[in-house]
Structures are given as C-alpha cells and as structure tokens.
Amino acid sequence: MIKTDVIIIGAGLLGCFTARNLTRYDIDVIVLEKEGDVCRGISKANTGIIYSGYDHKPGSEKHKLCMQANEEFDRLCSELEVPFRRPGSLMISYGPKADAVIARKYRDGIEGGTQGLRLLSGSEAEAMEPALAKGITSALYSSETGTVDPWELCIAAYENARDNGARFVFGSRVTDVKRETGGFTVETKAETYFAKAVVNAAGLASDSIREMSENPLIRLFPTAADYIVLDRSAGSIVDRVIFHEGENGKGLTLVPTVDGNLLIGPTNREASEEETAEKDMRTCRYGLDQLKELCGEIVPEADLNRQIRTFGSLRPNPYYVSLRGGDVIKREDSIKDIRLTEEDGLFSLIGIKTPGLTFSNELGKIVADKAAAHAGKTELNPDFDPHRKAIIRARDLSEDERADLISRDSAYGEIVCSCMDVTKAEILQAIKRGAHDFESVKRRTGAGFGKCQGSRCRRRITDLIVKGE
Ligand SMILES: Cc1cc2nc3c(=O)[nH]c(=O)nc-3n(C[C@H](O)[C@H](O)[C@H](O)COP(=O)(O)OP(=O)(O)OC[C@H]3O[C@@H](n4cnc5c(N)ncnc54)[C@H](O)[C@@H]3O)c2cc1C
C-alpha cells in the first residue's frame, strides 16, 4: 500500500490547481487520473473565457471567486507563462426580452463591482463590431473579459505542481474509496493507496466518486454542448468576445481565441443516454446545424467553410437528491452556486460549471488549504516556486530572435507542423516534458491544430515520440 498525505482524484483544471496549491505546503500529494494525460475532461472542452463577474449574482461564492480570479489572471498567466488576452466582451440583444436581461446584468455588475462595464446603444455596438448583423437593440460592454487556451493553463498548472513535488499517476482509474480510521483507502486496478485526506476533482464522475464512501447528496444531470472552430483567417471577424443573448433561449457565443481562431458555440441541448452514461463528449448534427443557423443570423459574414474542427462537451449540472426507500429522488432546482462538500477529510468538487476555468486557481487554493489542514500539514514548503517556463514558440518570435535560437539549437530550424509553424525543437521539448502521444504533443505545442488538423504532421510527430529523433 502506498501512503500519502493527500490524494487528488482527477487531473483537470481543478485537480491540477489544487495540486499546485497543495505544494505550497510541505506535504506529500498524489494525483490519480484515469486518462493518459492531464486535461482530457471538461477542462479541454469549454469556451475558454475569463469572466469579469457581472454574470454572477453579487454576494454569491461564484461572484466573489470570479471577481478575485479575474483581477489575478494576468499575474497567474505571467507566473505560468500562459498566453492570455483581454479582448473585452460585448453582450448583444435584438429584442425586448434580451434587453431586459442586459439591463439586469449591468445593474448586477455595477452592484457587484465589475470594472469597465458600459451600457451601449445598438448603433454604438454595431460600430464597434461591424460584422454583427444590424438591428442590435442594446449591448453591454465589459473591458475585463479575457480568453485563454484552457488546456495550456491546465498543462502549466500540472507542470508547476509536478515541479514542486506533486506526483501524478496516469492511467489510474479510481474504483473505490473507503473511509478508514485516520483517512481513506483509495483503490485503482494496479494499486491501493492510503491518504489522510482526499480531494475529489473527478469532474463528470465526481458525484459517483463521492458516493463510494458517502450517501447520495448531489447528482449530476449533464446537458450537452457543441462547438465549431474556424481557422485563423476567420479569427479577426470580431475583435471581442460576443455573447448574443437570444430572445427565445440560448444565443450564440463567439470567441476570437488566443491562437487567432474563431470559436463558435456552445449549444445547450439534452444529452443522449449514451453521452450521459459514458460521459462521452461528442457533437451531434442537430447541435451543429443549430449553431450554423444562428451564426448565419448573427454574424452573416462568418465563412463556415473555414471550419477546421468541431467538438462537444457536457455540462455537469448539479442537483440535490434525497433517498426515499431505495430510490434516489432528484430535487427540482439545480444548484446555482459552488457547493463544496466536506466530509471529514473528503472534499468533493461536484458540478463546477462556468466560470470554473476562471477561478480554478482560487477554488484550488481553498480546497488545498482545507485538505492540508485536515492532513495536519500546514507548514509551508520553503522551496515552492510559483513559476513555470513555457516551451519557446518559434512562431511568436521576430526573425532575428528566431535566427538566434536556431544558431543555438538547429531543431528550431526544422518545421514539423507547417499549418501552425511548429518546429521540431518544440515537439522534442513537449516529449521531454511527458507528452507521449499525438494528442498530448498537440495540446502542448499547437501542432496539428491548424487547417489540415494533423494530416501532414501526425506521422512525423509519432516518429519523434517513438524514435526520439
Ligand atoms: C460547455 C462548457 C463551457 C464552459 N466554458 C467556460 C468558460 O468559458 N469559462 C470558465 O471559466 N469556465 C467554463 N466552463 C467551466 C470549466 O470548464 C470547468 O469548471 C472546469 O474545466 C472544471 O474542470 P474539472 O477539473 O472539474 O473537470 P475535468 O476537466 O472533467 O476533470 C476531471 C478529471 O477527472 C478524471 N476522472 C474521472 N473519473 C475518474 C476516476 N474514477 N479516477 C481517476 N480520474 C477520474 C477525468 O478523466 C478528468 O480528467 C465551461 C464548462 C462547460 C461544460
């Protein structure tokens, strides 16, 4: 049996940031992840927006954490060397119902202290974003909205936690958690662990992980989301994140990403039985058609022929449940705020939806502090270093900088992914840092994310993984 102070189940954003914050203490931490790499769950399949806070009820935990996180985001991304932009956002409406929502969000935002909010007329909004369909009736501008690649953030948190001493065990699906005197035994197929405290950050499986040792309290009832990504030639069609507030239900969100693509989505549709049972994040034709139709209405100039990929996600909607007889009964209203369950050493992050990416470091810190205190490990780690060095990207350098780099490392002179301008040196760095398949190299370097989606570089990258040269 392997003994440790804290086990974290799940290496998504919340698991990785909890691990990072735990390593601020002099503590032994193990992260168990069922997949072969970090960021394979919801954390890779979301809208990548750093919210400014006006969307959340003033006084709620979500609001408090979101405000704090937004203010801290530049510092966080500079510590972890993660690209981050604040293009600002524009919430737009085309009718009275949505106007009322915008007016309410503006009032909430002002009351809650969001900086940089402005109510705009339709013509002001149309002048700011000329590609949007005419007829906007009102808009809410927020200067502090940002965007980030969620997997880059997650990988950075992972690398920083690992460099500070957290141990990650991939391919380790947790099959049982049992309460024992002084802690928990945690089972995987290959190993039994004992930990004084357990952090359950298993995303879509967090309800079932909790129920391995506790009575049902909260269950997840997922709905599905679909996204479309357009290539970099379409990324500049809008300058800001656009939230279209629909008159009759969910509108459209457009995100000019840090990589220069345009992200369109998400839908909000019922998840199929298969999607729910297998926690399988996939797109469906109906969802994608809905997006395309909305896109035609709201941003008619967007050229959907420039689509390079689509992806799906699942929203972990949390509901309280109660036990009646042997049955689990779902209560009516979903849980709107963050509900961290704490049961004598078991800390469960169940149903952390938007803006969970925005405040992943802040929530991770709260849980880490609680878990460290429970494990009796509150002494600080004198060697903790919050900084992490990113892989140098040739495509971000000037010609002179690039030439200088090539003179020091000739592998920076060999392009492997021509769509995204990724060099052999970057791929080798990713492999050195633990990338072991095409997908994990792709997430670390951007190779394979371009127009051809890896059809030209996949083989070469696989060779580099297998042969090392
Ligand atoms: C459609 C959508 C859009 C969103 N957009 C935004 C946004 O724009 N901005 C924002 O701030 N937030 C957004 N969010 C919220 C944000 O994405 C999540 O809050 C965040 O990613 C939380 O991730 P997580 O770590 O809880 O889960 P995950 O990333 O799913 O991680 C859970 C991990 O646990 C692992 N696991 C599961 N079961 C086991 C097991 N038995 N043993 C071991 N490991 C296991 C999984 O493999 C997975 O890696 C969005 C969410 C959704 C669904």
Side-chain angles (χ1 to χ4, degrees), residues 355-393:
L357 155 69
T358 305
F359 57 53
S360 44
N361 188 43
E362 280 64 25
L363 187 54
K365 184 168 187 316
I366 291 173
V367 185
D369 289 351
K370 286 176 187 280
H374 187 88
K377 291 288 203 170
T378 48
E379 227 164 87
L380 293 178
N381 169 8
D383 299 323
F384 176 78
D385 181 357
H387 300 99
R388 165 261 187 190
K389 285 258 160 260
I391 296 172
I392 299 173
R393 291 178 173 198

Side-chain angles (χ1 to χ4, degrees), residues 157-409:
Y158 153 61
E159 290 185 353
N160 187 237
R162 189 186 58 183
D163 291 349
N164 281 303
R167 286 182 282 162
F168 286 73
V169 191
F170 294 108
S172 292
R173 179 191 288 274
V174 170
T175 52
D176 203 6
V177 178
K178 273 204 192 74
R179 187 176 286 284
E180 311 278 358
T181 313
F184 299 83
T185 51
V186 178
E187 300 279 350
T188 67
K189 202 170 162 200
E191 201 56 76
T192 301
Y193 298 83
F194 178 85
K196 294 176 196 156
V198 171
V199 176
N200 165 15
L204 291 160
S206 51
D207 51 351
S208 46
I209 293 279
R210 182 184 164 278
E211 289 179 26
M212 289 175 177
S213 66
E214 313 298 323
N215 283 329
L217 174 68
I218 300 173
R219 286 247 175 117
L220 300 175
F221 294 86
T223 48
D226 309 276
Y227 290 89
I228 295 173
V229 184
L230 303 190
D231 79 17
R232 291 199 274 180
S233 61
S236 54
I237 191 164
V238 289
D239 289 331
R240 296 159 192 83
V241 172
I242 305 296
F243 299 111
H244 157 234
E245 183 65 38
E247 276 296 278
N248 301 304
K250 180 130 185 65
L252 189 72
T253 302
L254 303 167
V255 182
T257 71
V258 279
D259 289 324
N261 298 312
L262 185 71
L263 177 66
I264 304 171
T267 52
N268 189 13
R269 62 175 170 84
E270 248 179 64
S272 66
E273 269 179 34
E274 249 182 334
E275 283 171 314
T276 309
E278 294 168 21
K279 318 274 187 263
D280 188 5
M281 302 192 293
R282 62 179 81 163
T283 54
C284 90
R285 165 71 70 82
Y286 163 72
L288 294 176
D289 285 349
Q290 243 188 339
L291 275 184
K292 287 177 186 165
E293 201 183 313
L294 258 178
C295 221
E297 284 171 27
I298 305 303
V299 58
E301 283 174 30
D303 182 357
L304 294 171
N305 292 321
R306 301 199 178 278
Q307 171 183 317
I308 48 172
R309 65 190 178 99
T310 60
F311 64 91
S313 188
L314 285 172
R315 293 183 180 81
N317 306 314
Y319 286 78
Y320 284 115
V321 291
S322 45
L323 273 176
R324 211 174 296 153
D327 295 332
V328 173
I329 313 290
K330 175 183 172 190
R331 299 214 209 136
E332 277 300 299
D333 283 343
S334 69
I335 302 170
K336 302 281 187 304
D337 207 355
I338 301 163
R339 173 75 170 81
L340 167 69
T341 65
E342 298 176 45
E343 283 133 340
D344 199 20
L346 174 65
F347 302 91
S348 294
L349 293 158
I350 305 179
I352 309 297
K353 301 196 295 180
T354 306
L357 155 69
T358 305
F359 57 53
S360 44
N361 188 43
E362 280 64 25
L363 187 54
K365 184 168 187 316
I366 291 173
V367 185
D369 289 351
K370 286 176 187 280
H374 187 88
K377 291 288 203 170
T378 48
E379 227 164 87
L380 293 178
N381 169 8
D383 299 323
F384 176 78
D385 181 357
H387 300 99
R388 165 261 187 190
K389 285 258 160 260
I391 296 172
I392 299 173
R393 291 178 173 198
R395 65 177 176 276
D396 295 339
L397 302 178
S398 68
E399 277 194 15
D400 285 352
E401 288 167 331
R402 203 161 167 152
D404 179 50
L405 200 58
I406 295 170
S407 71
R408 286 184 280 128
D409 179 354

